[in-house]
CSV table of all heavy atoms in Angstrom, one decimal:
chain,number,residue,atom,x,y,z
A,227,MET,N,33.5,-59.9,-33.3
A,227,MET,CA,34.4,-60.5,-32.4
A,227,MET,C,34.3,-60.0,-30.9
A,227,MET,O,34.8,-60.6,-30.0
A,227,MET,CB,35.9,-60.2,-32.9
A,227,MET,CG,36.2,-60.8,-34.2
A,227,MET,SD,36.0,-62.6,-34.3
A,227,MET,CE,37.5,-63.1,-33.4
A,228,GLU,N,33.6,-58.9,-30.8
A,228,GLU,CA,33.4,-58.3,-29.4
A,228,GLU,C,32.3,-59.1,-28.7
A,228,GLU,O,32.2,-58.9,-27.4
A,228,GLU,CB,33.0,-56.8,-29.5
A,228,GLU,CG,31.6,-56.6,-30.1
A,228,GLU,CD,31.6,-56.5,-31.6
A,228,GLU,OE1,32.5,-57.0,-32.3
A,228,GLU,OE2,30.7,-55.8,-32.1
A,229,MET,N,31.6,-59.9,-29.3
A,229,MET,CA,30.5,-60.7,-28.7
A,229,MET,C,31.0,-62.0,-28.1
A,229,MET,O,31.1,-63.0,-28.7
A,229,MET,CB,29.4,-61.0,-29.7
A,229,MET,CG,28.7,-59.7,-30.3
A,229,MET,SD,28.1,-58.7,-29.0
A,229,MET,CE,27.5,-57.3,-29.9
A,230,ILE,N,31.4,-61.9,-26.8
A,230,ILE,CA,32.0,-63.0,-26.0
A,230,ILE,C,31.0,-63.4,-25.0
A,230,ILE,O,30.6,-62.6,-24.1
A,230,ILE,CB,33.3,-62.6,-25.4
A,230,ILE,CG1,34.3,-62.1,-26.5
A,230,ILE,CG2,33.9,-63.7,-24.6
A,230,ILE,CD1,35.4,-61.3,-26.0
A,231,GLN,N,30.5,-64.6,-24.9
A,231,GLN,CA,29.5,-65.0,-24.0
A,231,GLN,C,30.1,-65.4,-22.7
A,231,GLN,O,31.0,-66.3,-22.6
A,231,GLN,CB,28.6,-66.2,-24.5
A,231,GLN,CG,27.5,-66.6,-23.5
A,231,GLN,CD,26.6,-67.6,-24.1
A,231,GLN,OE1,26.8,-68.7,-24.2
A,231,GLN,NE2,25.4,-67.0,-24.6
A,232,TYR,N,29.7,-64.8,-21.6
A,232,TYR,CA,30.0,-65.2,-20.2
A,232,TYR,C,28.9,-66.2,-19.7
A,232,TYR,O,27.7,-65.7,-19.6
A,232,TYR,CB,30.2,-64.1,-19.3
A,232,TYR,CG,31.5,-63.4,-19.4
A,232,TYR,CD1,31.8,-62.6,-20.5
A,232,TYR,CD2,32.5,-63.6,-18.5
A,232,TYR,CE1,33.0,-61.9,-20.6
A,232,TYR,CE2,33.8,-63.0,-18.6
A,232,TYR,CZ,34.0,-62.1,-19.7
A,232,TYR,OH,35.2,-61.6,-19.8
A,233,HIS,N,29.2,-67.4,-19.4
A,233,HIS,CA,28.2,-68.3,-18.8
A,233,HIS,C,28.0,-67.9,-17.4
A,233,HIS,O,29.0,-67.7,-16.6
A,233,HIS,CB,28.7,-69.8,-18.9
A,233,HIS,CG,27.6,-70.7,-18.7
A,233,HIS,ND1,27.0,-70.9,-17.4
A,233,HIS,CD2,26.9,-71.6,-19.6
A,233,HIS,CE1,26.1,-71.9,-17.6
A,233,HIS,NE2,26.0,-72.3,-18.8
A,234,PRO,N,26.8,-67.7,-16.9
A,234,PRO,CA,26.6,-67.2,-15.5
A,234,PRO,C,26.9,-68.2,-14.4
A,234,PRO,O,27.1,-67.7,-13.3
A,234,PRO,CB,25.1,-66.9,-15.5
A,234,PRO,CG,24.5,-67.7,-16.6
A,234,PRO,CD,25.5,-67.9,-17.6
A,235,THR,N,27.1,-69.5,-14.7
A,235,THR,CA,27.3,-70.4,-13.6
A,235,THR,C,28.6,-71.2,-13.9
A,235,THR,O,28.5,-72.3,-14.4
A,235,THR,CB,26.1,-71.3,-13.4
A,235,THR,OG1,25.7,-72.0,-14.5
A,235,THR,CG2,24.9,-70.6,-12.8
A,236,THR,N,29.7,-70.7,-13.4
A,236,THR,CA,31.0,-71.4,-13.5
A,236,THR,C,31.6,-71.3,-12.1
A,236,THR,O,31.2,-70.5,-11.3
A,236,THR,CB,31.9,-70.8,-14.6
A,236,THR,OG1,32.5,-69.6,-14.1
A,236,THR,CG2,31.2,-70.6,-15.9
A,237,ARG,N,32.6,-72.2,-11.9
A,237,ARG,CA,33.4,-72.1,-10.7
A,237,ARG,C,34.8,-72.3,-11.0
A,237,ARG,O,35.2,-73.3,-11.7
A,237,ARG,CB,32.9,-73.3,-9.8
A,237,ARG,CG,33.6,-73.3,-8.4
A,237,ARG,CD,33.3,-72.1,-7.6
A,237,ARG,NE,33.9,-72.1,-6.3
A,237,ARG,CZ,34.0,-71.0,-5.5
A,237,ARG,NH1,33.6,-69.9,-5.9
A,237,ARG,NH2,34.6,-71.1,-4.3
A,238,LEU,N,35.6,-71.4,-10.5
A,238,LEU,CA,37.1,-71.5,-10.8
A,238,LEU,C,37.7,-72.6,-10.1
A,238,LEU,O,37.6,-72.8,-8.9
A,238,LEU,CB,37.8,-70.2,-10.4
A,238,LEU,CG,39.2,-70.0,-10.8
A,238,LEU,CD1,39.4,-70.1,-12.3
A,238,LEU,CD2,39.8,-68.7,-10.2
A,239,HIS,N,38.3,-73.5,-10.8
A,239,HIS,CA,39.1,-74.7,-10.3
A,239,HIS,C,40.2,-75.0,-11.2
A,239,HIS,O,40.1,-75.8,-12.1
A,239,HIS,CB,38.2,-75.9,-10.1
A,239,HIS,CG,38.9,-77.1,-9.6
A,239,HIS,ND1,39.2,-77.3,-8.3
A,239,HIS,CD2,39.4,-78.2,-10.3
A,239,HIS,CE1,39.9,-78.4,-8.1
A,239,HIS,NE2,40.0,-79.0,-9.3
A,240,GLY,N,41.3,-74.2,-11.1
A,240,GLY,CA,42.4,-74.3,-12.1
A,240,GLY,C,42.0,-73.6,-13.3
A,240,GLY,O,42.5,-72.6,-13.7
A,241,LYS,N,40.9,-74.1,-14.0
A,241,LYS,CA,40.3,-73.4,-15.1
A,241,LYS,C,38.8,-73.4,-14.7
A,241,LYS,O,38.3,-74.1,-13.8
A,241,LYS,CB,40.5,-74.2,-16.4
A,241,LYS,CG,39.8,-75.5,-16.5
A,241,LYS,CD,40.2,-76.2,-17.8
A,241,LYS,CE,39.5,-75.6,-19.0
A,241,LYS,NZ,38.1,-75.6,-19.1
A,242,ASN,N,38.1,-72.5,-15.4
A,242,ASN,CA,36.7,-72.4,-15.1
A,242,ASN,C,35.9,-73.7,-15.4
A,242,ASN,O,35.9,-74.1,-16.5
A,242,ASN,CB,36.1,-71.2,-15.8
A,242,ASN,CG,36.2,-69.9,-15.1
A,242,ASN,OD1,36.7,-69.8,-14.0
A,242,ASN,ND2,35.7,-68.8,-15.7
A,243,MET,N,35.2,-74.2,-14.4
A,243,MET,CA,34.4,-75.3,-14.5
A,243,MET,C,33.0,-74.9,-14.7
A,243,MET,O,32.4,-74.1,-14.0
A,243,MET,CB,34.5,-76.3,-13.3
A,243,MET,CG,33.9,-77.6,-13.4
A,243,MET,SD,34.1,-78.6,-11.9
A,243,MET,CE,32.6,-78.2,-11.1
Side-chain angles (χ1 to χ4, degrees):
M227 299 299 286
E228 69 275 22
M229 297 303 177
I230 302 162
Q231 182 169 82
Y232 280 76
H233 196 290
T235 54
T236 74
R237 183 64 179 165
L238 187 61
H239 177 78
K241 67 184 293 294
N242 269 0
M243 187 179 94

